[in-house]
Amino acid sequence: MSILVLHKKNLSRRRHLARAQEYAREHGQRLLLVMKDPEWEAEYVDRVVIADTSSIEETLAAVKALAAEESEPFSAVVTFAEAPVPSAARVAAEFGLPSVSEHTARLARDKWVMREAFAAGGVPQPRYGIAHSLDEAREIARHTGFPLVMKPVLGTGSMFVRSVDDEDELAEHFDFFLKGAWDGFTYDPLHSSAHAEYEGGLLLEEFVPGAEICVESLVHDGTTRTLAIHDKPLPTGPTFEEVYACTPTRLPEATVRAVEEATDAVHAALGITTGATHVEFRLRDDAEPVVLEAAARMGGGPIYRSVLLSTGVDMVEAILDLASGRAPRVEPRERATPVGFWNIFPDKAGTFTGTVGLDEVRADPRVDEVQIYKTPGDHLLVPPQTFQGHGHLIFTVDTADELDPAFREMTATLRLETS
Protein backbone atom coordinates (compact mmCIF):
# COMPACT_ATOMS: atom_id res chain seq x y z
CA MET A 1 0.00 0.00 0.00
CA SER A 2 1.09 3.57 -0.64
CA ILE A 3 0.18 6.99 0.73
CA LEU A 4 -0.10 9.85 -1.76
CA VAL A 5 0.86 13.37 -0.73
CA LEU A 6 -0.23 16.12 -3.12
CA HIS A 7 1.97 19.08 -2.34
CA LYS A 8 2.76 22.63 -3.34
CA LYS A 9 6.01 24.40 -2.48
CA ASN A 10 5.82 25.66 1.09
CA LEU A 11 8.90 26.20 3.19
CA SER A 12 7.10 25.67 6.49
CA ARG A 13 6.04 22.08 5.77
CA ARG A 14 9.27 20.19 6.50
CA ARG A 15 7.94 18.78 9.78
CA HIS A 16 4.74 17.65 8.09
CA LEU A 17 6.58 15.61 5.47
CA ALA A 18 9.00 14.20 8.05
CA ARG A 19 6.09 12.96 10.17
CA ALA A 20 4.33 11.54 7.09
CA GLN A 21 7.52 9.61 6.31
CA GLU A 22 7.58 8.18 9.83
CA TYR A 23 3.90 7.29 9.63
CA ALA A 24 4.33 5.44 6.35
CA ARG A 25 7.21 3.42 7.76
CA GLU A 26 5.28 2.65 10.94
CA HIS A 27 2.48 1.18 8.81
CA GLY A 28 4.72 -0.61 6.31
CA GLN A 29 3.73 1.64 3.42
CA ARG A 30 5.49 3.68 0.78
CA LEU A 31 5.16 7.46 0.66
CA LEU A 32 4.63 8.98 -2.79
CA LEU A 33 4.88 12.71 -3.46
CA VAL A 34 3.23 14.57 -6.32
CA MET A 35 4.38 18.15 -6.82
CA LYS A 36 5.63 20.50 -9.50
CA ASP A 37 9.04 21.56 -8.20
CA PRO A 38 10.44 19.15 -5.58
CA GLU A 39 13.78 19.94 -3.96
CA TRP A 40 14.39 19.07 -0.30
CA GLU A 41 10.93 17.49 -0.18
CA ALA A 42 12.22 14.46 -2.11
CA GLU A 43 14.36 13.29 0.81
CA TYR A 44 11.23 12.40 2.79
CA VAL A 45 9.51 10.15 0.26
CA ASP A 46 10.01 6.92 -1.66
CA ARG A 47 9.02 8.30 -5.03
CA VAL A 48 8.38 11.69 -6.58
CA VAL A 49 6.07 12.37 -9.51
CA ILE A 50 6.30 15.75 -11.23
CA ALA A 51 2.91 17.40 -11.70
CA ASP A 52 1.33 20.74 -10.98
CA THR A 53 -1.07 19.98 -8.13
CA SER A 54 -2.73 23.32 -8.77
CA SER A 55 -4.20 21.69 -11.90
CA ILE A 56 -6.84 19.11 -11.09
CA GLU A 57 -6.61 17.58 -14.57
CA GLU A 58 -2.80 17.37 -14.59
CA THR A 59 -2.74 15.93 -11.09
CA LEU A 60 -5.34 13.27 -11.85
CA ALA A 61 -3.55 12.24 -15.06
CA ALA A 62 -0.23 11.95 -13.20
CA VAL A 63 -1.78 9.89 -10.40
CA LYS A 64 -3.50 7.56 -12.87
CA ALA A 65 -0.18 6.99 -14.64
CA LEU A 66 1.48 6.37 -11.29
CA ALA A 67 -1.20 3.85 -10.31
CA ALA A 68 -0.56 1.92 -13.52
CA GLU A 69 3.14 1.67 -12.66
CA GLU A 70 2.89 0.92 -8.94
CA SER A 71 2.44 -2.67 -7.79
CA GLU A 72 0.58 -1.66 -4.62
CA PRO A 73 -2.70 0.30 -4.47
CA PHE A 74 -3.09 3.69 -2.82
CA SER A 75 -4.35 3.62 0.75
CA ALA A 76 -4.75 7.37 1.27
CA VAL A 77 -4.37 10.77 -0.36
CA VAL A 78 -3.60 13.91 1.66
CA THR A 79 -2.40 17.46 1.25
CA PHE A 80 -0.86 19.82 3.79
CA ALA A 81 -1.28 22.87 1.56
CA GLU A 82 -4.28 24.94 0.52
CA ALA A 83 -4.17 25.00 -3.29
CA PRO A 84 -4.17 21.19 -3.82
CA VAL A 85 -7.33 20.62 -1.73
CA PRO A 86 -9.58 20.34 -4.85
CA SER A 87 -7.05 18.05 -6.55
CA ALA A 88 -6.88 15.80 -3.49
CA ALA A 89 -10.68 15.56 -3.42
CA ARG A 90 -10.76 14.65 -7.11
CA VAL A 91 -8.08 11.95 -6.72
CA ALA A 92 -9.87 10.54 -3.68
CA ALA A 93 -13.14 10.36 -5.60
CA GLU A 94 -11.43 8.60 -8.51
CA PHE A 95 -9.78 5.96 -6.31
CA GLY A 96 -12.49 5.56 -3.68
CA LEU A 97 -10.44 6.98 -0.80
CA PRO A 98 -11.74 8.84 2.28
CA SER A 99 -11.85 12.62 1.75
CA VAL A 100 -14.10 15.62 1.65
CA SER A 101 -16.23 15.64 -1.47
CA GLU A 102 -15.28 17.61 -4.56
CA HIS A 103 -18.21 19.91 -3.87
CA THR A 104 -17.05 20.54 -0.31
CA ALA A 105 -13.50 21.14 -1.55
CA ARG A 106 -14.80 23.92 -3.77
CA LEU A 107 -16.91 25.42 -0.99
CA ALA A 108 -13.81 25.55 1.18
CA ARG A 109 -11.73 27.28 -1.51
CA ASP A 110 -14.15 29.64 -3.27
CA LYS A 111 -15.07 32.35 -0.76
CA TRP A 112 -18.20 33.46 -2.61
CA VAL A 113 -19.86 30.03 -2.63
CA MET A 114 -18.57 29.56 0.92
CA ARG A 115 -20.47 32.71 1.94
CA GLU A 116 -23.58 31.45 0.12
CA ALA A 117 -23.32 28.08 1.92
CA PHE A 118 -23.02 29.82 5.29
CA ALA A 119 -26.06 31.94 4.45
CA ALA A 120 -28.07 28.84 3.55
CA GLY A 121 -26.92 27.14 6.74
CA GLY A 122 -27.75 30.07 8.99
CA VAL A 123 -24.13 30.52 10.13
CA PRO A 124 -23.47 34.05 11.49
CA GLN A 125 -21.17 35.86 9.07
CA PRO A 126 -20.39 39.38 7.80
CA ARG A 127 -22.61 41.14 5.27
CA TYR A 128 -21.02 40.72 1.84
CA GLY A 129 -21.14 41.41 -1.87
CA ILE A 130 -19.00 41.20 -5.00
CA ALA A 131 -17.86 44.25 -6.98
CA HIS A 132 -16.43 44.58 -10.49
CA SER A 133 -15.99 48.35 -10.42
CA LEU A 134 -15.57 51.16 -7.96
CA ASP A 135 -19.17 52.24 -8.53
CA GLU A 136 -20.38 48.74 -7.63
CA ALA A 137 -18.09 48.74 -4.59
CA ARG A 138 -19.63 52.01 -3.39
CA GLU A 139 -23.09 50.50 -3.77
CA ILE A 140 -22.13 47.38 -1.79
CA ALA A 141 -20.59 49.58 0.90
CA ARG A 142 -24.06 50.99 1.56
CA HIS A 143 -25.05 47.44 2.55
CA THR A 144 -21.92 46.39 4.44
CA GLY A 145 -21.11 49.76 5.96
CA PHE A 146 -17.61 51.07 6.71
CA PRO A 147 -15.10 49.89 7.54
CA LEU A 148 -15.24 47.04 5.06
CA VAL A 149 -12.78 44.36 3.96
CA MET A 150 -11.70 43.71 0.36
CA LYS A 151 -10.51 40.18 -0.36
CA PRO A 152 -10.02 37.76 -3.28
CA VAL A 153 -12.62 35.14 -4.09
CA LEU A 154 -9.72 32.68 -4.10
CA GLY A 155 -6.39 32.80 -2.32
CA THR A 156 -5.07 32.07 1.12
CA GLY A 157 -3.74 33.85 4.16
CA SER A 158 -4.02 37.62 3.95
CA MET A 159 -2.67 38.09 0.45
CA PHE A 160 -4.45 40.99 -1.27
CA VAL A 161 -6.75 41.51 1.71
CA ARG A 162 -7.28 44.99 3.15
CA SER A 163 -9.76 46.96 5.20
CA VAL A 164 -10.82 50.46 4.18
CA ASP A 165 -12.43 53.00 6.49
CA ASP A 166 -14.36 55.21 4.11
CA GLU A 167 -15.13 56.01 0.48
CA ASP A 168 -11.86 57.87 -0.02
CA GLU A 169 -9.82 54.80 1.03
CA LEU A 170 -12.06 52.56 -1.08
CA ALA A 171 -11.34 54.70 -4.13
CA GLU A 172 -7.62 54.76 -3.35
CA HIS A 173 -7.16 51.00 -3.04
CA PHE A 174 -9.97 49.29 -4.98
CA ASP A 175 -8.33 48.95 -8.41
CA PHE A 176 -5.03 47.63 -6.99
CA PHE A 177 -6.76 44.93 -4.94
CA LEU A 178 -9.19 44.04 -7.73
CA LYS A 179 -6.22 43.33 -10.02
CA GLY A 180 -4.16 41.55 -7.36
CA ALA A 181 -7.09 39.36 -6.37
CA TRP A 182 -6.75 37.56 -9.71
CA ASP A 183 -3.20 38.20 -10.91
CA GLY A 184 -1.84 36.97 -7.58
CA PHE A 185 -3.52 33.57 -7.76
CA THR A 186 -3.11 32.32 -11.30
CA TYR A 187 -1.71 29.07 -9.88
CA ASP A 188 -5.01 28.23 -8.18
CA PRO A 189 -6.83 25.19 -9.66
CA LEU A 190 -10.11 27.11 -9.62
CA HIS A 191 -8.67 30.33 -11.09
CA SER A 192 -9.90 30.09 -14.68
CA SER A 193 -13.41 28.90 -13.88
CA ALA A 194 -13.84 31.33 -10.97
CA HIS A 195 -12.52 34.30 -12.96
CA ALA A 196 -15.04 33.57 -15.71
CA GLU A 197 -17.91 32.94 -13.29
CA TYR A 198 -17.34 36.09 -11.24
CA GLU A 199 -16.12 38.20 -14.15
CA GLY A 200 -13.00 39.20 -12.24
CA GLY A 201 -14.91 40.59 -9.25
CA LEU A 202 -13.60 41.42 -5.77
CA LEU A 203 -15.31 40.21 -2.60
CA LEU A 204 -16.34 42.95 -0.15
CA GLU A 205 -17.32 42.15 3.42
CA GLU A 206 -18.44 43.96 6.54
CA PHE A 207 -15.56 44.48 8.98
CA VAL A 208 -16.54 42.72 12.20
CA PRO A 209 -15.09 44.41 15.30
CA GLY A 210 -13.84 42.15 18.06
CA ALA A 211 -11.16 39.62 18.89
CA GLU A 212 -9.95 37.29 16.13
CA ILE A 213 -9.30 33.58 16.67
CA CYS A 214 -8.65 30.46 14.62
CA VAL A 215 -9.87 26.97 15.46
CA GLU A 216 -8.15 23.66 14.67
CA SER A 217 -10.41 20.61 14.57
CA LEU A 218 -10.61 17.01 13.46
CA VAL A 219 -13.80 15.57 11.99
CA HIS A 220 -14.44 11.82 12.10
CA ASP A 221 -17.70 10.30 10.83
CA GLY A 222 -19.31 13.73 10.98
CA THR A 223 -18.33 14.39 14.61
CA THR A 224 -16.12 17.40 15.34
CA ARG A 225 -13.37 17.37 17.94
CA THR A 226 -11.94 20.84 18.53
CA LEU A 227 -8.27 20.54 19.49
CA ALA A 228 -7.04 24.09 19.89
CA ILE A 229 -8.21 27.68 19.65
CA HIS A 230 -5.46 30.16 18.85
CA ASP A 231 -5.89 33.76 19.95
CA LYS A 232 -4.54 36.51 17.69
CA PRO A 233 -3.80 39.29 20.16
CA LEU A 234 -2.27 41.84 17.78
CA PRO A 235 -4.46 44.61 16.39
CA THR A 236 -5.55 43.55 12.90
CA GLY A 237 -5.85 45.66 9.81
CA PRO A 238 -5.49 47.17 7.45
CA THR A 239 -3.77 44.20 5.75
CA PHE A 240 -4.35 41.47 8.37
CA GLU A 241 -0.87 39.99 8.49
CA GLU A 242 -0.83 36.53 10.07
CA VAL A 243 1.98 37.46 12.46
CA TYR A 244 1.27 36.19 15.99
CA ALA A 245 -0.98 33.50 17.41
CA CYS A 246 -1.02 31.68 20.73
CA THR A 247 -2.84 28.86 22.49
CA PRO A 248 -4.61 27.82 24.69
CA THR A 249 -7.23 30.49 24.25
CA ARG A 250 -7.85 32.97 27.02
CA LEU A 251 -11.54 33.28 26.16
CA PRO A 252 -14.18 32.61 28.82
CA GLU A 253 -15.60 29.09 28.93
CA ALA A 254 -19.02 30.23 27.69
CA THR A 255 -17.42 31.85 24.64
CA VAL A 256 -15.35 28.73 23.97
CA ARG A 257 -18.54 26.66 23.95
CA ALA A 258 -20.13 29.12 21.53
CA VAL A 259 -17.08 28.88 19.25
CA GLU A 260 -17.22 25.08 19.30
CA GLU A 261 -20.92 25.16 18.39
CA ALA A 262 -20.24 27.65 15.60
CA THR A 263 -17.44 25.41 14.28
CA ASP A 264 -19.91 22.50 14.11
CA ALA A 265 -22.29 24.72 12.17
CA VAL A 266 -19.51 25.71 9.74
CA HIS A 267 -18.70 22.04 9.09
CA ALA A 268 -22.36 21.22 8.52
CA ALA A 269 -22.81 24.12 6.09
CA LEU A 270 -19.77 23.04 4.04
CA GLY A 271 -20.50 19.31 4.26
CA ILE A 272 -17.25 18.45 6.03
CA THR A 273 -17.60 14.99 7.58
CA THR A 274 -13.96 13.88 7.67
CA GLY A 275 -10.49 15.38 7.89
CA ALA A 276 -8.90 18.40 9.54
CA THR A 277 -10.23 21.95 9.42
CA HIS A 278 -9.00 25.47 10.10
CA VAL A 279 -11.78 27.97 10.82
CA GLU A 280 -11.32 31.69 11.45
CA PHE A 281 -13.75 33.76 13.49
CA ARG A 282 -14.19 37.30 14.74
CA LEU A 283 -16.04 37.66 18.03
CA ARG A 284 -18.63 40.41 17.65
CA ASP A 285 -18.80 42.31 20.93
CA ASP A 286 -16.10 39.84 22.04
CA ALA A 287 -18.80 37.20 22.48
CA GLU A 288 -20.62 36.12 19.28
CA PRO A 289 -18.57 34.00 16.83
CA VAL A 290 -18.86 35.38 13.29
CA VAL A 291 -17.16 33.17 10.72
CA LEU A 292 -14.63 34.83 8.43
CA GLU A 293 -13.68 31.75 6.42
CA ALA A 294 -12.86 28.06 6.71
CA ALA A 295 -10.41 25.60 5.17
CA ALA A 296 -10.80 21.85 4.70
CA ARG A 297 -7.25 21.24 5.87
CA MET A 298 -5.05 21.81 8.88
CA GLY A 299 -3.92 25.35 9.60
CA GLY A 300 -0.73 26.41 7.88
CA GLY A 301 2.76 27.31 8.96
CA PRO A 302 3.64 26.57 12.58
CA ILE A 303 0.12 25.50 13.62
CA TYR A 304 1.00 21.80 13.38
CA ARG A 305 3.86 22.19 15.82
CA SER A 306 1.89 24.59 18.02
CA VAL A 307 -1.00 22.14 18.49
CA LEU A 308 1.41 19.28 19.14
CA LEU A 309 3.41 21.20 21.75
CA SER A 310 0.30 22.52 23.45
CA THR A 311 -2.00 19.48 23.48
CA GLY A 312 0.17 16.50 22.62
CA VAL A 313 -2.11 15.67 19.66
CA ASP A 314 -0.27 14.94 16.40
CA MET A 315 -2.50 16.37 13.67
CA VAL A 316 -0.43 14.95 10.81
CA GLU A 317 -0.82 11.47 12.27
CA ALA A 318 -4.55 12.07 12.77
CA ILE A 319 -4.99 13.35 9.21
CA LEU A 320 -3.22 10.30 7.82
CA ASP A 321 -5.38 8.04 9.99
CA LEU A 322 -8.55 9.68 8.71
CA ALA A 323 -7.36 9.53 5.10
CA SER A 324 -6.63 5.83 5.60
CA GLY A 325 -10.08 5.11 7.01
CA ARG A 326 -8.85 4.74 10.59
CA ALA A 327 -10.22 6.42 13.71
CA PRO A 328 -7.59 8.93 14.83
CA ARG A 329 -6.02 8.76 18.27
CA VAL A 330 -6.99 11.99 19.97
CA GLU A 331 -5.85 12.13 23.59
CA PRO A 332 -5.01 15.73 24.51
CA ARG A 333 -3.12 16.25 27.73
CA GLU A 334 -5.13 17.48 30.70
CA ARG A 335 -3.30 20.82 30.95
CA ALA A 336 -2.39 22.51 27.70
CA THR A 337 1.08 24.03 27.44
CA PRO A 338 1.03 27.74 26.50
CA VAL A 339 2.55 28.11 23.03
CA GLY A 340 3.03 31.14 20.80
CA PHE A 341 4.34 31.48 17.28
CA TRP A 342 5.52 34.32 15.11
CA ASN A 343 5.42 34.37 11.31
CA ILE A 344 8.39 36.58 10.51
CA PHE A 345 8.25 39.42 7.99
CA PRO A 346 10.77 42.25 7.48
CA ASP A 347 9.76 45.81 8.21
CA LYS A 348 9.81 46.58 4.50
CA ALA A 349 10.08 44.72 1.21
CA GLY A 350 13.48 44.51 -0.42
CA THR A 351 16.61 42.44 -0.85
CA PHE A 352 17.36 40.26 2.19
CA THR A 353 20.72 41.33 3.61
CA GLY A 354 20.89 39.41 6.88
CA THR A 355 19.33 38.42 10.19
CA VAL A 356 19.89 40.21 13.49
CA GLY A 357 19.45 38.37 16.79
CA LEU A 358 19.21 34.81 15.47
CA ASP A 359 21.83 33.38 17.81
CA GLU A 360 20.20 35.07 20.80
CA VAL A 361 16.75 33.60 20.19
CA ARG A 362 18.17 30.16 19.41
CA ALA A 363 19.86 30.20 22.80
CA ASP A 364 16.62 31.14 24.59
CA PRO A 365 15.28 28.05 26.45
CA ARG A 366 11.71 29.13 25.69
CA VAL A 367 12.27 28.84 21.94
CA ASP A 368 11.27 25.47 20.54
CA GLU A 369 12.11 26.24 16.93
CA VAL A 370 13.22 29.12 14.76
CA GLN A 371 13.60 28.81 11.00
CA ILE A 372 14.51 31.43 8.42
CA TYR A 373 13.41 30.22 5.01
CA LYS A 374 15.33 32.70 2.88
CA THR A 375 19.00 33.40 2.20
CA PRO A 376 20.75 36.76 1.70
CA GLY A 377 20.10 38.07 -1.77
CA ASP A 378 16.52 36.81 -1.93
CA HIS A 379 13.81 39.39 -2.50
CA LEU A 380 11.36 39.54 0.40
CA LEU A 381 7.79 40.71 -0.04
CA VAL A 382 5.47 41.95 2.70
CA PRO A 383 1.66 41.84 2.93
CA PRO A 384 -0.58 42.33 1.07
CA GLN A 385 1.63 41.07 -1.80
CA THR A 386 2.43 37.86 0.10
CA PHE A 387 0.71 35.74 2.71
CA GLN A 388 3.63 33.56 3.81
CA GLY A 389 6.19 34.71 6.35
CA HIS A 390 9.87 34.34 5.52
CA GLY A 391 10.51 32.35 8.68
CA HIS A 392 8.86 31.37 11.92
CA LEU A 393 9.61 31.15 15.61
CA ILE A 394 7.74 28.91 18.07
CA PHE A 395 8.08 29.31 21.83
CA THR A 396 6.60 27.86 25.00
CA VAL A 397 6.08 29.45 28.43
CA ASP A 398 4.82 28.27 31.80
CA THR A 399 1.66 30.36 32.01
CA ALA A 400 -0.64 32.07 29.51
CA ASP A 401 0.14 35.45 31.09
CA GLU A 402 3.72 35.11 29.82
CA LEU A 403 2.77 34.67 26.16
CA ASP A 404 2.43 38.28 25.05
CA PRO A 405 5.50 39.58 26.95
CA ALA A 406 7.58 36.73 25.51
CA PHE A 407 6.38 37.55 21.99
CA ARG A 408 7.32 41.21 22.44
CA GLU A 409 10.75 40.18 23.67
CA MET A 410 11.32 37.84 20.70
CA THR A 411 10.26 40.45 18.17
CA ALA A 412 12.51 43.05 19.77
CA THR A 413 15.48 40.66 19.50
CA LEU A 414 15.15 39.12 16.03
CA ARG A 415 14.65 40.91 12.73
CA LEU A 416 15.14 40.39 9.02
CA GLU A 417 17.05 43.22 7.36
CA THR A 418 16.37 44.35 3.82
CA SER A 419 17.76 46.98 1.51
Side-chain angles (χ1 to χ4, degrees), residues 186-416:
T186 55
Y187 61 82
D188 194 285
L190 304 179
H191 184 274
S192 295
S193 60
H195 189 274
E197 181 173 355
Y198 304 119
E199 299 177 338
L202 182 66
L203 190 60
L204 305 183
E205 299 179 353
E206 168 197 9
F207 178 87
V208 179
E212 185 170 335
I213 59 171
C214 60
V215 183
E216 307 308 313
S217 303
L218 295 170
V219 187
H220 179 228
D221 288 342
T223 299
T224 296
R225 180 71 178 271
T226 295
L227 301 179
I229 299 173
H230 283 81
D231 297 334
K232 298 181 179 181
L234 288 181
T236 54
T239 53
F240 304 99
E241 296 91 329
E242 300 283 346
V243 176
Y244 170 42
C246 56
T247 192
T249 183
R250 290 163 280 185
L251 296 173
E253 287 188 14
T255 306
V256 169
R257 288 194 295 272
V259 168
E260 291 174 343
E261 292 171 2
T263 302
D264 277 337
V266 165
H267 294 164
L270 299 183
I272 298 175
T273 59
T274 188
T277 70
H278 172 79
V279 185
E280 298 175 353
F281 293 99
R282 279 291 186 95
L283 302 177
R284 195 188 298 275
D285 300 323
D286 289 331
E288 179 197 6
V290 177
V291 65
L292 301 181
E293 52 191 67
R297 45 114 182 129
M298 174 175 38
I303 281 181
Y304 168 48
R305 183 66 176 169
S306 179
V307 173
L308 181 60
L309 287 172
S310 182
T311 70
V313 176
D314 188 325
M315 288 194 74
V316 168
E317 177 184 355
I319 289 166
L320 289 164
D321 280 338
L322 288 167
S324 302
R326 303 184 181 96
R329 181 179 59 188
V330 183
E331 299 173 356
R333 60 174 63 102
E334 186 174 345
R335 180 186 178 276
T337 299
V339 179
F341 67 81
W342 171 27
N343 287 314
I344 306 170
F345 294 93
D347 290 336
K348 62 179 182 178
T351 301
F352 182 30
T353 58
T355 306
V356 174
L358 186 58
D359 291 340
E360 288 88 336
V361 295
R362 280 180 171 157
D364 191 319
R366 297 169 297 178
V367 173
D368 171 75
E369 175 179 277
V370 58
Q371 290 186 14
I372 306 301
Y373 311 146
K374 302 294 187 176
T375 57
D378 289 342
H379 186 73
L380 306 188
L381 295 173
V382 296
Q385 283 81 10
T386 184
F387 66 90
Q388 186 178 21
H390 304 299
H392 69 255
L393 183 150
I394 307 173
F395 62 92
T396 62
V397 291
D398 293 329
T399 67
D401 290 342
E402 299 172 76
L403 284 164
D404 295 353
F407 172 75
R408 289 192 292 268
E409 187 178 337
M410 304 294 175
T411 56
T413 303
L414 177 65
R415 71 176 185 272
L416 306 183

